Amino acid sequence: MNPITAVTYFLPAYQDHPFLIQYAMRALESHSVDITFFYVPQIVQTLRYDSLGYVERYILETAQFSQLFAHQIIWNMKANAYKDDDSQIVGHMTSLHPTRVLTRHSLMRSSPPLIKSWNG
């Protein structure tokens, strides 16, 4: 299964069905980070529905061995937090599931100094 199909199994339409979510996770994990890297925006969006924590775990584990992936995840979370260029009008991304905030903080704590300096 391709990554974009796997990511769709995290949507509310599938009602957190454990077998589907585990299948989707195995599918995502079967692809190299070089492939899933292109689906970072979709992966970040699925955090809003990640009540079981599978997406968060995937992000944190993948970020441990790919600084580029970690940077793109953090950048995507930050880039979508506001509606305007001046970061004054809070956007819909800030209303994501609380997991999103925890994931970003976990990434920042566990990232190498280079990632921390990019996202300070």
Side-chain angles (χ1 to χ4, degrees):
M1 170 187 328
N2 64 42
I4 197 67
T5 302
V7 167
T8 62
Y9 285 122
F10 296 106
L11 296 175
Y14 297 99
Q15 302 174 353
D16 286 337
H17 191 283
F19 293 132
L20 287 176
I21 290 174
Q22 289 174 21
Y23 177 64
M25 286 306 301
R26 278 197 312 273
L28 274 178
E29 292 168 344
S30 72
H31 295 285
S32 76
V33 72
D34 298 329
I35 301 296
T36 56
F37 175 81
F38 293 104
Y39 302 99
V40 163
Q42 292 86 352
I43 293 169
V44 168
Q45 288 293 324
T46 61
L47 281 171
R48 108 178 29 217
Y49 312 112
D50 187 32
S51 61
L52 300 177
Y54 283 95
V55 177
E56 179 186 23
R57 182 184 62 85
Y58 172 75
I59 288 172
L60 293 174
E61 288 178 358
T62 305
Q64 291 300 308
F65 62 87
S66 173
Q67 288 186 5
L68 185 59
F69 182 84
H71 173 68
Q72 286 300 312
I73 290 286
I74 294 168
W75 180 87
N76 192 278
M77 289 177 175
K78 290 176 81 171
N80 290 292
Y82 297 95
K83 290 182 181 179
D84 64 330
D85 292 334
D86 297 328
S87 300
Q88 300 297 317
I89 302 171
V90 177
H92 70 282
M93 288 293 288
T94 56
S95 65
L96 286 176
H97 191 277
T99 303
R100 180 184 163 274
V101 175
L102 295 174
T103 301
R104 183 170 176 271
H105 290 305
S106 296
L107 278 172
M108 294 301 291
R109 275 196 316 272
S110 63
S111 295
L114 179 61
I115 296 291
K116 290 177 184 175
S117 68
W118 284 343
N119 298 291

